[in-house]
Amino acid sequence: MDLDGIKGILRTFAEVEARGVSPLYEHLALRAAADDDVAGLLSVARDGEVRGTLLMAVAHRLVQADPIHPLSRYYPSLGGFDGVDSETWPLFRSFLLERAEKARALISARYTQTNEVRRAALLYPGVARAAKEAGRKVSLLEVGCSAGLLLGLDRFGYRYQCDGGDQLTAGPAKAAVGLHCALDLVPGAVVPKLPKKLALLDRAGLDRAPVDLSDEDELAWLEACVWADQPDRIRLLRTAAAEQAKHRPRLIAGDGVDDLASAAASLDGPLVVLTSHALGYFAAEKRAAFVSALAELASSRPVWWVSEEFYGAGLELVLPGRDELSGADGLATLGVVRWEDGKAEAHALARTAPHGQRMTWLPL
C-alpha cells in the first residue's frame, strides 16, 4: 500500500473509530496521518494489516517497555494522568522514530489481537438463544478467538442495566469476572429473557495465531492492543486472564475457513460458532466462504452461528436488505443464524457498541 493509502487509513481510524471514544488515539492518529515518517512505519505491515490500531498497539507496547519515558504520562494504562496537550504529539513522534527499528519489527510480525472481555455480555443472549433452541448442552467454537477469553462466557457474571432502572442478571452469583452492560429497547422490542446459567458440553477456539496467556510477552501484547486511555478494559482483561488460567480452553492454530471443519469435528454435540469483530479482518470473498463452510457443517449436525459483527461483515451475508443495520452509527449487530434443510434462518437480535458497553434490543 502506498503512503497516501496508509495516511487515509490512519485518518479514518481517528475520525470514525477513535473520535468520542479515545481522545489520545484520535489526537495521535490524526497527526500521524499527516506525517510521512510516522505513517510510513506501517508500510512493513503484512497484507491486510495496515491499521491505525496496529500502530497504536506497537507504540503502547514500546511505552510499556520504557515506562519512565515522559510519554508515559499520557498513558493512563501505565499510571499517566495528563490529558492531550501541545507536547503529546512531539513526544510521541520522537519516541516512536527513535525506536523505528523496533517499531518496524513489531509491525511486520504482529497482528492486532484484541480480546474484549466485555463483548461476552453481548454474546451471552445469542448463545442462550441457540442453547434453548438446541434443547441440550452445546459446544462452543470461537473463530478469531485470540486468547480465548470469550470462551469462558458461561463463568462470567452479567448485570444488564435497563431503561427505567430495572436490571437483568445472569451467570454465577460469585463470578470472578463481572460485566455490566446498558440495555435499551427499540420501540416494539421486549426485554429478552436470559437464563441464569449456560450448560456447555465443550469449547475450543480457532485463530491464525492464538495467544498463550501463560507467556508474559504475549499477555503484554494483548494488553498493548487495548487502547491506552481505557485502563478499566486492561484491568478486566487481567482479571479474565487470571480466571482463564484455572480453566484453560483448547486453542487451535488454523485458518477460519480452511480449518473450520476439522476444528468443529473435535467438538461433540450441537455446535455454536461464535464470531465477534473477527470477520472484518476477512476479505469479502473469504467471508462468503466462511458462511458456505458453516452451511456445509450444518448439513451433518445442528449448527448455530452467533455473530457480533458489523452488519456488512456478518449478517448481511444471510440477512440482506436490512439497511437500518448498516453500521453508519458505529454500532455492530448481534445475530443468530441456524440452517434448516440447507437454508439459513437468520435473526437480528440487537445493535451493539464495539466494546460491549451497550446493546439496543430489536423487535423479533
Side-chain angles (χ1 to χ4, degrees):
M1 182 179 293
D2 64 20
L3 190 57
D4 285 343
I6 293 172
K7 288 180 171 182
I9 286 173
L10 287 168
R11 191 173 302 108
T12 299
F13 169 72
E15 295 175 348
V16 176
E17 297 182 53
R19 181 159 293 168
V21 178
S22 171
L24 177 64
Y25 280 12
E26 179 187 358
H27 175 80
L28 295 176
L30 273 176
R31 280 149 185 79
D35 189 295
D36 289 359
D37 294 331
V38 174
L41 295 173
L42 279 173
S43 64
V44 299
R46 304 182 196 197
D47 288 346
E49 295 303 317
V50 175
R51 304 178 190 279
T53 47
L54 180 59
L55 182 66
M56 295 299 117
V58 165
H60 195 182
R61 182 69 188 95
L62 293 173
V63 180
Q64 284 177 339
D66 190 2
I68 63 171
H69 190 279
L71 182 61
S72 67
R73 72 176 191 258
Y74 298 104
Y75 279 67
S77 60
L78 300 172
F81 290 100
D82 288 8
V84 170
D85 59 28
S86 61
E87 295 183 28
T88 311
W89 170 250
L91 271 173
F92 179 88
R93 184 180 190 279
S94 62
F95 175 86
L96 206 51
L97 294 181
E98 286 165 6
R99 295 158 181 79
E101 187 174 340
K102 292 181 179 179
R104 290 192 189 95
L106 285 169
I107 289 167
S108 64
R110 289 289 191 176
Y111 300 104
T112 304
Q113 288 181 295
T114 56
N115 215 160
E116 181 54 66
V117 180
R118 288 190 298 184
R119 288 181 187 149
L122 309 176
L123 293 166
Y124 187 90
V127 176
R129 177 182 173 123
K132 182 179 180 181
E133 291 180 1
R136 55 194 174 108
K137 290 184 178 181
V138 299
S139 288
L140 295 185
L141 175 61
E142 185 188 0
V143 175
C145 65
S146 188
L149 295 178
L150 293 178
L151 289 167
L153 58 77
D154 59 316
R155 300 188 180 103
F156 301 161
Y158 302 94
R159 191 175 298 275
Y160 297 90
Q161 186 68 46
C162 304
D163 288 346
D166 292 337
Q167 289 188 345
L168 294 179
T169 58
K174 295 183 179 180
V177 178
L179 302 176
H180 296 256
C181 179
L183 174 64
D184 52 19
L185 307 175
V186 165
V190 298
V191 176
K193 294 181 179 180
L194 301 179
K196 293 297 182 183
K197 295 181 180 179
L198 282 176
L200 301 183
L201 182 63
D202 201 357
R203 71 197 80 205
L206 177 63
D207 197 284
R208 58 185 171 178
V211 176
D212 179 4
L213 292 182
S214 66
D215 183 323
E216 290 189 6
D217 188 56
E218 292 298 300
L219 178 57
W221 174 248
L222 203 60
E223 291 180 357
C225 288
V226 179
W227 296 10
D229 50 0
Q230 298 174 358
D232 287 349
R233 291 174 59 202
I234 293 179
R235 284 192 287 270
L236 187 58
L237 172 65
R238 291 172 180 164
T239 302
E243 178 65 13
Q244 191 212 62
K246 306 172 189 175
H247 313 279
R248 291 204 181 278
R250 186 161 47 91
L251 304 183
I252 301 165
D255 183 81
V257 175
D258 297 341
D259 299 302
L260 181 64
S262 60
S266 71
L267 296 164
D268 293 329
L271 182 67
V272 178
V273 177
L274 305 179
T275 66
S276 178
H277 293 269
L279 298 189
Y281 292 89
F282 287 15
E285 298 81 5
K286 189 166 185 175
R287 290 196 289 267
F290 173 74
V291 172
S292 295
L294 288 176
E296 179 64 26
L297 286 177
S299 67
S300 58
R301 68 190 295 186
V303 172
W304 287 259
W305 172 28
V306 176
S307 165
E308 198 271 311
E309 305 277 353
F310 288 109
Y311 173 69
L315 274 192
E316 187 177 27
L317 296 160
V318 290
L319 189 65
R322 295 288 297 274
D323 293 344
E324 75 277 14
L325 305 176
S326 67
D329 52 6
L331 299 178
T333 300
L334 172 68
V336 175
V337 185
R338 67 178 298 183
W339 281 261
E340 289 287 344
D341 299 322
K343 184 178 180 181
E345 237 179 64
H347 299 276
L349 302 185
R351 307 301 311 288
T352 57
H355 296 140
Q357 64 270 41
R358 173 176 290 275
M359 64 195 313
T360 300
W361 206 253
L362 302 172
L364 299 179

